[in-house]
Amino acid sequence: WIVNDYMEKRIIFLNKQGKFLKSIDLKKYGDAAIVYDSRNEVLKFNIKNKHYTLINKDLVKIRANYEKKSNQKYFRNYEINLEDESLSIKRTATDPYFIINARWFYDDYYYRSDLVIDPKAKDTTGYELQLMQHYKPVQSFFPFNKTGNPVFRYSAASSQMYLADTDTPYIKYTSRPFNTTIYKLNKDSIKPIYEIILPLENALPQRYFTSGFKSKAEWDNFQNSNGAVFFTLSGIKDLDRYLFFGIKFMRNYESFLYEKSSAKFYKTKMIKADSSQYNIQLLQNGPGSYYDSRYYTVIPAQGLVDFYTKNKEKNIVYPPELEAYLKTATKNSNPVIVEYKLKE
């Protein structure tokens, strides 16, 4: 098991029985994009070289010439071979797909969501989502004007589309920035399947789609002053009985569950845990990672320590292993992975 501890900026490795193997401090690697390559059993760390400051114009030029060896210097790549017992980090050549800002989709297909605005671009058409093969686009969706679409000008870095996994490698769910539609991507075709209707006060005022923001300062101020305005959807999981999704507002995040049979929405953090799960909240931010018909949620030590202290008087009967952990854990202890199934 691999646990990415965002709060402490470290990665924790456990064996399949949950035994601690190793912890790696990521602070010295900066704000790294961590990618799991399941085909080669490799964990990749992709970061931009802090000694170079790249503006949009630079990135466009570099991505157009991703194969040039001289462009390697703008990035730093490291890898951990998960089949090597040492689990050591090694410097490697930069993955060309990282240079062109693409992530793995399935087989030899990748996807890219590049919303960078370039007023001087010769090719004026950009796409919110592209499928790539052998570093070249093979299918493109949701065109926009790269030279004049103002709503992306200062939000491009945080507006990228991401694909949510399913049991089928080539089927994913996704959503677009400032758009409440949930899409289903099946190989090279995409279609809308749900639309989340929000109150008008949560919507970005229409004028910004045409006039945009005059500066990054105005964009930042707007976010700070309008924290409840909708930004995008994330964490999408479409199950037989439920639809899980998260809403990223300008300055907030909420996770929701939609029960299809009753057509009701619930905030997942408001769903109370019962004795069957030892009163421990497992759906705080939606269901965890899914594998082989089970879900896995990582609970930080601090959260469990606070929970145990708060509920000492309730006489909750814990499994022996969990009780032993709770009695000795501190906020700096390793997190706990909880395996569970949703009721049919």
Side-chain angles (χ1 to χ4, degrees):
W1 297 102
I2 303 170
V3 178
N4 189 355
D5 189 343
Y6 297 97
M7 298 297 290
E8 298 297 327
K9 292 189 177 182
R10 60 176 177 165
I11 287 184
I12 300 171
F13 295 90
L14 311 167
N15 66 15
K16 291 184 178 180
Q17 289 71 44
K19 183 180 178 181
F20 174 81
L21 297 176
K22 188 175 183 177
S23 176
I24 296 179
D25 190 342
L26 299 180
K27 294 183 180 68
K28 69 177 181 179
Y29 297 98
D31 189 15
I34 302 175
V35 178
Y36 169 53
D37 182 347
S38 60
R39 294 168 300 170
N40 300 307
E41 283 300 300
V42 167
L43 205 62
K44 298 180 179 180
F45 301 77
N46 303 312
I47 60 176
K48 293 177 182 177
N49 190 338
K50 64 181 180 181
H51 298 296
Y52 295 91
T53 300
L54 303 176
I55 60 176
N56 289 346
K57 181 180 178 181
D58 299 324
L59 288 172
V60 170
K61 186 177 180 180
I62 291 169
R63 288 168 182 169
N65 299 277
Y66 64 88
E67 74 283 357
K68 290 183 65 173
K69 191 172 182 180
S70 59
N71 284 332
Q72 293 273 330
K73 66 178 178 289
Y74 299 114
F75 308 93
R76 292 286 184 268
N77 267 48
Y78 303 86
E79 290 185 357
I80 298 177
N81 183 350
L82 300 177
E83 295 181 339
D84 182 352
E85 291 184 359
S86 69
L87 296 172
S88 56
I89 297 180
K90 296 180 180 179
R91 176 81 181 273
T92 64
T94 299
D95 185 342
Y97 277 112
F98 175 64
I99 295 178
I100 63 174
N101 194 33
R103 293 170 175 261
W104 184 59
F105 178 17
Y106 79 99
D107 290 348
D108 59 347
Y109 290 92
Y110 285 69
Y111 75 94
R112 176 172 67 185
S113 182
D114 192 346
L115 304 176
V116 170
I117 298 298
D118 182 6
K120 297 182 180 180
K122 293 180 180 179
D123 182 1
T124 62
T125 303
Y127 297 92
E128 294 182 41
L129 180 65
Q130 289 185 304
L131 302 186
M132 319 284 292
Q133 187 180 38
H134 307 310
Y135 311 112
K136 302 294 184 182
V138 294
Q139 187 66 279
S140 301
F141 307 100
F142 312 123
F144 66 93
N145 186 347
K146 287 196 298 185
T147 63
N149 190 316
V151 75
F152 293 147
R153 186 175 300 277
Y154 301 106
S155 66
S158 52
S159 295
Q160 297 182 51
M161 296 173 64
Y162 294 97
L163 304 186
D165 290 334
T166 69
D167 288 339
T168 306
Y170 54 80
I171 294 179
K172 311 287 185 183
Y173 294 99
T174 190
S175 66
R176 301 163 61 193
F178 309 110
N179 188 308
T180 58
T181 301
I182 293 175
Y183 295 88
K184 183 177 183 179
L185 180 64
N186 187 336
K187 294 186 177 178
D188 62 353
S189 66
I190 194 168
K191 66 178 181 179
I193 55 172
Y194 298 104
E195 184 174 3
I196 310 301
I197 306 299
L198 295 176
L200 184 61
E201 59 262 29
N202 294 118
L204 182 72
Q206 191 63 34
R207 67 180 182 277
Y208 289 112
F209 289 96
T210 54
S211 63
F213 298 90
K214 296 178 181 178
S215 65
K216 186 177 183 303
E218 184 184 13
W219 163 245
D220 291 339
N221 290 334
F222 178 86
Q223 293 178 87
N224 292 331
S225 302
N226 299 273
V229 168
F230 171 83
F231 189 58
T232 191
L233 301 171
S234 66
I236 303 163
K237 290 184 173 64
D238 190 19
L239 311 177
D240 290 339
R241 292 182 59 190
Y242 309 109
L243 170 69
F244 285 93
F245 62 93
I247 297 181
K248 291 183 180 179
F249 299 97
M250 290 295 177
R251 286 291 184 260
N252 192 19
Y253 179 86
E254 293 283 1
S255 176
F256 294 87
L257 176 153
Y258 174 67
E259 187 176 47
K260 298 178 183 180
S261 61
S262 64
K264 291 183 178 179
F265 286 93
Y266 302 90
K267 283 186 179 181
T268 58
K269 69 181 182 182
M270 302 303 290
I271 300 174
K272 292 185 177 181
D274 58 24
S275 59
S276 66
Q277 58 200 66
Y278 314 108
N279 295 87
I280 297 174
Q281 173 63 278
L282 299 178
L283 300 176
Q284 182 74 20
N285 295 307
S289 301
Y290 181 82
Y291 176 74
D292 194 22
S293 77
R294 288 174 170 79
Y295 288 89
Y296 297 85
T297 291
V298 177
I299 303 180
Q302 180 69 67
L304 283 174
V305 169
D306 293 343
F307 169 82
Y308 183 64
T309 303
K310 182 179 177 181
N311 293 278
K312 275 188 175 181
E313 307 301 324
K314 292 187 177 181
N315 297 319
I316 300 172
V317 179
Y318 302 103
E321 297 85 353
L322 179 58
E323 185 168 23
Y325 172 90
L326 291 171
K327 287 181 176 180
T328 59
T330 68
K331 66 178 183 178
N332 296 318
S333 296
N334 291 329
V336 170
I337 299 176
V338 179
E339 176 188 89
Y340 64 97
K341 298 182 72 173
L342 295 175
K343 292 181 178 178
E344 299 295 333

